[in-house]
């Protein structure tokens, strides 16, 4: 018996009821295969989260093992976790993706906080059962080749900057983009980069919301470059910050902002470090003056009183500094 053709395969929402949910011990689960938009799909779920404190949900290509070399598949889809107490509170997220042999699953790493999911009063987990729904639409089924990186956008600046790190020759760089990598959000990065990027994502939620680049390999290089930049800033002491370091950091931040990274938190941190640096220099000046005045204390008693007053003012200024940022702290103390 032959499989149904794309024209007669039903396209309707797929519902997956997962019973004994809290007792599931595996890291990830796959639903049964279903047809939608003329193709085979299945839902991939991480019950305890994909390295995050959220339920993680993805749409997965169901017939990956049988597809020919060079296949691609574009789809628009939504994934929902049904609220079994109040349907109007159901959580639904929509996205679209060009699936291929390297990106054969796509979706949402941070779909629903686990603490919300596991709270019976929230209505998502009842009788130890959750209900997941997937609705897939394939507007124009096709088998096009992988998209290439265009130079008529802000990404071209970073491609030029990072050109020595990656070569785009017939897509060969794409073929190795995920080798030895782990998934961060919907991207692939090194395990070292993942740990730092995940921490930034936890501390500053909006950093990667508008991140947008074409080409999986370039996405990987950009995010790993950003992780290296943050690691470098985190190892830099405030006392080591100078005008040249601030200038170079500002240039790097501007480049990263061109591809959608929201780095307002980082610029604020650098401004704080700059202020602490200036304050430190003023303290050193006062202390230097203090040494000279001590030598002349016997002759100029009035100046000693002036020095004591100046030191008191410095102490008062110090109390107004950010408590987490001192002269010997790193510029990004809360990151690493």
């Amino acid at each position: 018996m032959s499989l149904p053709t794309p024209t007669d395969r039903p396209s309707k929402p797929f519902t997956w009821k997962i019973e004994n949910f809290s007792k599931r011990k595996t890291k990830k689960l796959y639903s049964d295969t279903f047809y939608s938009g003329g193709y085979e799909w299945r839902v991939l779920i991480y019950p305890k989260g994909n390295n995050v404190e959220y339920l993680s949900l993805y749409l997965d290509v169901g017939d990956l093992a049988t597809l020919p070399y060079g296949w691609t598949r574009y789809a628009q889809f939504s994934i929902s976790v049904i609220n079994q107490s109040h349907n109007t509170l159901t959580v639904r997220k929509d996205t679209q993706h060009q699936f291929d042999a390297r990106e054969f699953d796509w979706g949402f790493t941070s779909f629903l906080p686990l603490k919300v999911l596991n709270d019976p009063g929230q209505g998502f987990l009842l009788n130890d059962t959750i209900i997941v729904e997937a609705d897939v639409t394939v507007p124009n089924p096709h088998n096009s080749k992988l998209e290439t990186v265009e130079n008529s956008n802000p990404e071209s600046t970073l491609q030029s900057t990072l050109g020595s790190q990656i070569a785009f020759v017939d897509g060969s760089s794409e073929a190795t983009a995920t080798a030895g990598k782990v998934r961060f959000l919907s991207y692939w990065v090194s395990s070292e980069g993942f740990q730092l990027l995940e921490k930034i994502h936890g501390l500053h939620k909006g950093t990667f919301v508008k991140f947008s680049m074409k080409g999986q390999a370039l996405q990987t290089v950009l995010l790993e470059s950003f992780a290296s930049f943050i690691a470098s800033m985190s190892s830099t002491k405030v006392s080591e910050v100078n005008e040249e370091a601030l200038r170079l950091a500002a240039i790097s931040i501007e480049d990263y902002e061109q591809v959608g990274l929201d780095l307002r938190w980082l610029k604020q941190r650098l401004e704080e470090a700059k202020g602490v640096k200036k304050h430190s220099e003023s303290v050193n000046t006062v202390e230097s003056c203090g040494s000279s005045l001590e030598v002349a204390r016997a002759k100029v008693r009035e100046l000693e009183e002036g020095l004591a007053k100046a030191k008191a003012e410095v102490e008062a200024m110090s109390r107004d500094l950010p408590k987490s940022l001192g002269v010997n702290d790193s510029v990004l103390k809360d990151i690493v």
Side-chain angles (χ1 to χ4, degrees):
M1 179 178 178
S2 61
L3 292 174
T5 64
T7 56
D8 58 19
R9 289 175 180 174
S11 297
K12 61 181 180 180
F14 167 74
T15 301
W16 182 20
K17 181 180 291 187
I18 309 174
E19 300 177 339
N20 300 314
F21 184 78
S22 65
K23 299 179 177 63
R24 303 282 180 164
K25 302 300 181 183
T26 57
K27 183 178 181 180
K28 56 185 179 180
L29 297 171
Y30 289 94
S31 72
D32 292 336
T33 299
F34 63 94
Y35 291 109
S36 191
Y39 296 114
E40 294 182 44
W41 308 95
R42 57 183 181 173
V43 176
L44 166 61
I45 186 172
Y46 287 73
K48 306 300 182 183
N50 186 9
N51 298 310
V52 295
E53 293 299 314
Y54 285 78
L55 182 71
S56 302
L57 283 167
Y58 307 93
L59 181 67
D60 181 74
V61 172
D63 53 346
L64 178 65
T66 64
L67 294 175
Y69 176 80
W71 69 272
T72 64
R73 179 183 301 178
Y74 173 77
Q76 300 170 346
F77 63 94
S78 67
I79 299 179
S80 306
V81 174
I82 306 300
N83 190 297
Q84 300 173 63
S85 297
H86 303 282
N87 190 260
T88 56
L89 299 179
T90 290
V91 176
R92 168 177 168 159
K93 295 190 177 182
D94 300 83
T95 188
Q96 57 187 338
H97 183 60
Q98 181 84 16
F99 294 84
D100 58 34
R102 287 172 294 279
E103 294 185 341
F104 48 83
D105 60 54
W106 196 262
F108 311 95
T109 299
S110 301
F111 189 91
L112 182 68
L114 292 177
K115 62 180 180 181
V116 173
L117 174 69
N118 295 321
D119 180 358
Q122 296 288 340
F124 296 101
L125 180 63
L126 290 184
N127 299 319
D128 206 21
T129 299
I130 72 167
I131 301 174
V132 176
E133 186 174 279
D135 194 355
V136 184
T137 301
V138 182
N140 295 300
H142 61 284
N143 190 30
S144 61
K145 296 297 182 182
L146 292 171
E147 68 176 350
T148 57
V149 178
E150 299 182 7
N151 293 321
S152 59
N153 55 59
E155 297 165 17
S156 60
T157 302
L158 277 166
Q159 180 180 340
S160 175
T161 302
L162 303 173
S164 61
Q165 302 180 44
I166 188 167
F168 289 86
V169 182
D170 297 330
S172 60
S173 61
E174 297 283 356
T176 59
T178 60
K181 306 295 184 181
V182 295
R183 184 187 288 273
F184 166 69
L185 299 179
S186 56
Y187 313 103
W188 294 94
V189 297
S190 66
S191 57
E192 296 83 359
F194 170 82
Q195 294 177 5
L196 192 52
L197 294 170
E198 191 68 21
K199 188 165 187 179
I200 293 171
H201 179 58
L203 291 169
H204 309 285
K205 295 292 185 184
T207 301
F208 305 98
V209 170
K210 296 182 179 180
F211 175 62
S212 176
M213 296 196 74
K214 294 180 180 179
Q216 179 185 330
L218 193 56
Q219 292 170 355
T220 297
V221 172
L222 186 282
L223 289 174
E224 290 185 348
S225 171
F226 176 63
S228 296
F229 171 66
I230 294 297
S232 175
M233 294 301 297
S234 299
S235 63
T236 301
K237 301 295 184 182
V238 174
S239 57
E240 300 170 356
V241 174
N242 52 42
E243 291 299 324
E244 179 64 10
L246 290 171
R247 185 184 71 82
L248 294 175
I251 292 174
S252 296
I253 291 173
E254 182 177 350
D255 284 342
Y256 291 124
E257 286 181 324
Q258 287 183 8
V259 293
L261 294 183
D262 185 347
L263 301 180
R264 286 174 292 180
W265 61 269
L266 179 56
K267 291 191 287 190
Q268 179 181 352
R269 194 64 170 173
L270 288 177
E271 285 299 315
E272 292 176 357
K274 186 176 181 180
V276 171
K277 174 70 173 178
K278 290 182 178 180
H279 178 79
S280 174
E281 292 173 350
S282 67
V283 169
N284 290 337
T285 300
V286 171
E287 290 179 346
S288 176
C289 291
S291 298
S292 299
L293 290 173
E294 287 295 334
V295 175
R297 178 183 296 179
K299 296 181 180 180
V300 191
R301 303 294 293 183
E302 296 84 359
L303 290 181
E304 184 180 41
E305 296 177 359
L307 176 61
K309 181 178 180 182
K311 287 185 175 180
E313 291 176 350
V314 169
E315 292 176 357
M317 291 172 62
S318 298
R319 288 193 294 271
D320 294 331
L321 291 176
K323 291 182 171 56
S324 62
L325 191 66
V327 175
N328 294 322
D329 289 338
S330 63
V331 175
L332 300 179
K333 182 180 179 182
D334 54 348
I335 299 297
V336 298

